């Protein structure tokens, strides 16, 4: 049973490596690219507050549940769900939760890779001195030039997918460890440098006010804030579960989860503090959408001392942050193929990588030749492009739904004896976790869903 299981894919060297890898998965484009632009589109203040509440009350308990399921099952999320349902003598149908996660990861990576490609191309744009002394209009047209050129986007997307496949083919452990140990702290430091620049713009407090002053919010924005809590913590699709399956049994899951969530949140808030003062100082639009960081940060790099170097290093680190997230997005699928089809990691990574790349072309075209092709689904969304639809379906529906069922499985389907074995290092913490996952977390997710479609 659970106690004797061993992962066939290996184990993290120690707890720190697990925390680093999970933080590598959590910290990515979600924090630096997505958080600022959706906070901007949804009016700041209240949106940020709802997001923070969701991290604490929904994200953290689900992260603990996901790591726990992974560590007990010791396999890809699909096989883990099957094995745990069997251990607990429950309905084998729970395996669908693993499948939905694999699908979500695959869809997310398809567009994630395209955006990571933008970041890669910005390493070179910054390095070439393109932004020296640039104006807001200048950065805008440089960004538009890039995204309206499908060939260039495709080339960068291809390169990023190949990079991801290489790491995944080698096994997640090699490569990840070093990348996160050195690069994450550096990313942190650089964000602080940009925040310091933002203080000098004279509009810092305006940025702070935008991010932290509550205002009005509607059901749709609440759903987006909650969806983002899942997205940014890599929850609800098995990424954290599969990383948990490589974790040895002796470590405290609660402590690790708190550290991961904290690091992730601090990076997002720093990104917000770096970006919004620049937005206001230059009369830009906070709701500019997915291009926001590409239309603001270059202004900072173009005007600060040593900005070219800071900019090159910053975008390089952003690519690394995206890379360590991307590998966790396909690891569940690759682990499954290796377990069930008897193929090796290289074969599995190449196939899944190729399929992901292909679906990613839809996102490439969303910013140019398919820009006008949009979809409306009544009650849910209006006029979204292919990219927007994928983003909406995965972050706002699939991940919260996956997370909801993970919480329900951990709290109601597994026996208390099993969850205690995994989580009761601190009995009082276990009690809080049990209460949250049994009632608060599932109810919160359901209420947000109902509110978003206007039922309540
Ligand atoms: N958490 C990552 C980010 O914020 C994205 C991600 C989502 C990674 C889901 C894995 C699983 O960029």
């Amino acid at each position: 049973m659970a106690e004797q299981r061993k992962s066939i894919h290996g184990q993290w060297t120690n707890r720190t490596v697990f925390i680093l890898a999970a933080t590598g998965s959590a910290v990515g484009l979600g924090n630096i690219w997505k958080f600022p632009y959706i906070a901007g589109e949804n009016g700041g203040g209240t949106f940020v507050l709802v997001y923070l509440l969701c991290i604490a009350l929904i994200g953290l308990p689900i992260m603990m549940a996901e790591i726990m399921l992974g560590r007990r099952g010791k396999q890809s999320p699909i096989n883990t769900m099957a094995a745990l349902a069997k251990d607990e003598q429950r309905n084998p149908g729970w395996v669908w939760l693993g499948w939905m996660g694999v699908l979500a990861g695959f869809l997310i990576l398809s567009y994630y890779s395209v955006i990571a490609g933008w970041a890669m191309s910005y390493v070179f744009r910054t390095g070439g001195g393109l932004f020296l002394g640039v104006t807001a209009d200048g950065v805008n047209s440089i960004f538009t030039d890039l995204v309206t050129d499908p060939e260039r986007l495709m080339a960068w997307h291809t390169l990023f997918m190949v990079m991801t496949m290489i790491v995944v083919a080698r096994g997640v452990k090699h490569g990840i460890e070093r990348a996160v140990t050195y690069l994450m702290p550096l990313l942190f430091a650089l964000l602080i440098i940009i925040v310091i620049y933002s203080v000098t713009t004279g509009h810092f407090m305006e940025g702070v006010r935008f991010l932290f002053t509550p205002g009005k919010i509607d059901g749709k924005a609440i759903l987006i804030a909650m969806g983002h809590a899942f997205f940014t913590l890599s929850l609800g699709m098995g990424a954290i579960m599969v990383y948990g399956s490589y974790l040895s049994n002796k470590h405290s899951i609660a402590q690790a989860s708190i550290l991961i969530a904290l690091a992730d949140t601090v990076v997002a808030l720093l990104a917000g503090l770096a970006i919004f003062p620049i937005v206001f100082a230059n009369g830009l639009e906070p709701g500019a959408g997915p291009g926001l960081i590409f239309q603001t940060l270059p202004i900072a790099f173009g005007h600060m001392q040593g900005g070219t170097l800071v900019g090159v290093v910053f975008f390089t680190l952003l690519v690394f942050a995206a890379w360590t997230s991307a590998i966790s997005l396909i690891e569940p699928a690759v682990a499954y193929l290796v377990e069930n089809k008897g193929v090796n990691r290289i074969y599995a990574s190449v196939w899944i990588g190729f399929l992901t790349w292909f679906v990613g072309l839809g996102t490439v075209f969303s910013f140019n030749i398919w820009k006008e092709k949009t979809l409306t689904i009544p009650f849910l969304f209006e006029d979204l492009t292919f990219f927007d639809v994928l983003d909406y379906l995965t972050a706002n529906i699939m991940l919260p739904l996956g997370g909801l069922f993970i919480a329900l499985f951990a709290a109601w389907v597994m026996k208390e004896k099993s969850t205690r074995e995994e989580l009761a290092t601190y009995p009082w913490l276990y009690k809080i976790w049990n209460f949250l996952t049994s009632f608060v977390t599932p109810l919160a997710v359901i209420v947000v869903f109902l509110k978003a479609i206007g039922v309540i």
Side-chain angles (χ1 to χ4, degrees):
M1 291 251 308
E3 292 69 33
Q4 299 106 37
R5 246 178 227 134
K6 243 181 122 189
S7 165
I8 60 164
H9 311 280
Q11 213 180 62
W12 304 113
T13 324
N14 54 46
R15 188 183 79 127
T16 315
V17 174
F18 164 72
I19 294 179
L20 287 172
T23 309
S25 165
V27 174
L29 295 174
N31 307 61
I32 294 170
W33 159 76
K34 192 171 178 192
F35 171 70
Y37 95 74
I38 56 175
E41 282 180 338
N42 292 287
T46 313
F47 179 87
V48 176
L49 191 71
V50 174
Y51 153 78
L52 292 174
L53 276 176
C54 290
I55 295 277
L57 296 179
I58 302 178
L60 255 180
I62 292 182
M63 179 174 292
M64 288 173 60
E66 237 190 279
I67 299 174
M68 170 187 76
L69 298 187
R71 186 166 77 173
R72 264 184 109 72
K74 292 263 188 308
Q75 297 157 68
S76 70
I78 296 173
N79 290 326
T80 282
M81 287 315 298
L84 293 185
K86 194 156 168 231
D87 286 353
E88 307 285 332
Q89 288 138 7
R90 303 292 188 167
N91 191 331
W94 278 96
V95 69
W96 72 267
L97 193 51
W99 281 106
M100 185 174 77
V102 164
L103 179 66
F106 167 79
L107 294 177
I108 293 175
L109 183 58
S110 79
Y111 71 78
Y112 203 83
S113 164
V114 176
I115 313 294
W118 298 359
M120 280 207 264
S121 82
Y122 268 63
V123 173
F124 296 92
R125 284 180 171 64
T126 318
L130 209 59
F131 298 120
L132 288 173
V134 78
T135 59
D137 284 341
V139 263
N140 201 357
S141 68
I142 291 169
F143 178 72
T144 312
D145 278 352
L146 171 70
V147 296
T148 47
D149 182 346
E151 279 160 29
R152 258 192 291 174
L153 291 191
M154 206 193 296
W156 289 114
H157 163 55
T158 308
L159 183 61
F160 186 81
M161 275 314 301
V162 170
M163 281 166 50
T164 303
M165 279 145 62
I166 290 174
V167 179
V168 177
R170 294 189 58 207
V172 169
K173 245 180 68 177
H174 311 278
I176 262 207
E177 297 198 13
R178 189 150 338 132
V180 246
T181 326
Y182 298 108
L183 301 176
M184 287 289 146
L186 201 56
L187 180 67
F188 223 71
L190 275 207
L191 272 174
I192 291 177
I193 293 181
I194 308 174
V195 173
I196 294 173
Y197 168 83
S198 287
V199 174
T200 69
T201 59
H203 290 254
F204 189 68
M205 285 321 288
E206 220 173 311
V208 172
R209 245 175 278 131
F210 181 79
L211 278 172
F212 299 109
T213 314
K216 277 210 279 287
I217 193 162
D218 62 8
K220 292 223 158 62
I222 295 179
L223 177 64
I224 297 174
M226 177 180 78
H228 187 64
F230 282 95
F231 184 89
T232 191
L233 294 177
S234 308
L235 297 178
M237 51 71 61
I240 290 293
M241 198 187 291
V242 84
Y243 277 13
S245 75
Y246 309 146
L247 180 65
S248 105
N249 288 346
K250 32 182 210 279
H251 306 303
S252 154
I253 290 179
Q255 247 177 8
S257 306
I258 292 172
L259 284 172
I260 299 161
L262 207 65
D264 186 79
T265 308
V266 172
V267 173
L269 293 179
L270 279 179
L273 288 175
I275 284 159
F276 286 105
I278 305 177
V279 168
F280 296 120
N282 293 280
L284 298 166
E285 181 48 52
L292 187 66
I293 67 160
F294 299 97
Q295 290 160 314
T296 48
L297 294 183
I299 301 183
F301 303 141
H303 291 93
M304 68 166 83
Q305 280 279 329
T308 302
L309 181 66
V310 176
V312 169
V313 179
F314 175 81
F315 281 118
T316 310
L317 292 171
L318 184 58
V319 173
F320 273 98
W323 200 8
T324 54
S325 300
I327 49 194
S328 73
L329 281 162
I330 47 170
E331 178 64 15
V334 170
Y336 172 76
L337 283 188
V338 172
E339 286 162 9
N340 285 40
K341 305 286 167 211
V343 297
N344 63 27
R345 290 192 68 95
I346 302 180
Y347 183 89
S349 316
V350 169
W351 266 107
I352 295 174
F354 175 74
L355 287 176
T356 315
W357 174 85
F358 184 75
V359 177
L361 296 182
T363 293
V364 163
F365 300 144
S366 293
F367 295 94
N368 35 70
I369 51 182
W370 288 357
K371 206 171 164 190
E372 310 301 327
K373 290 196 196 308
T374 58
L375 184 74
T376 298
I377 295 190
F379 299 109
L380 276 185
F381 53 74
E382 271 164 41
D383 270 345
L384 298 190
T385 61
F386 183 88
F387 155 72
D388 291 324
V389 171
L390 278 192
D391 174 40
Y392 195 97
L393 284 182
T394 52
N396 300 343
I397 296 175
M398 294 173 87
L399 300 186
L401 213 54
L404 169 66
F405 281 97
I406 286 169
L408 292 176
F409 185 87
W412 296 99
V413 176
M414 286 177 77
K415 301 193 184 73
E416 188 165 325
K417 179 177 163 290
S418 319
T419 51
R420 261 187 197 283
E421 262 170 39
E422 300 287 334
L423 296 176
T425 333
Y426 305 102
W428 58 275
L429 240 173
Y430 177 79
K431 281 209 185 97
I432 301 181
W433 173 83
N434 202 16
F435 177 71
L436 289 173
T437 38
S438 302
F439 306 106
V440 180
T441 307
L443 272 178
V445 176
I446 292 168
V447 167
V448 173
F449 273 144
L450 293 179
K451 208 165 162 46
I453 53 173
V455 175
I456 50 175

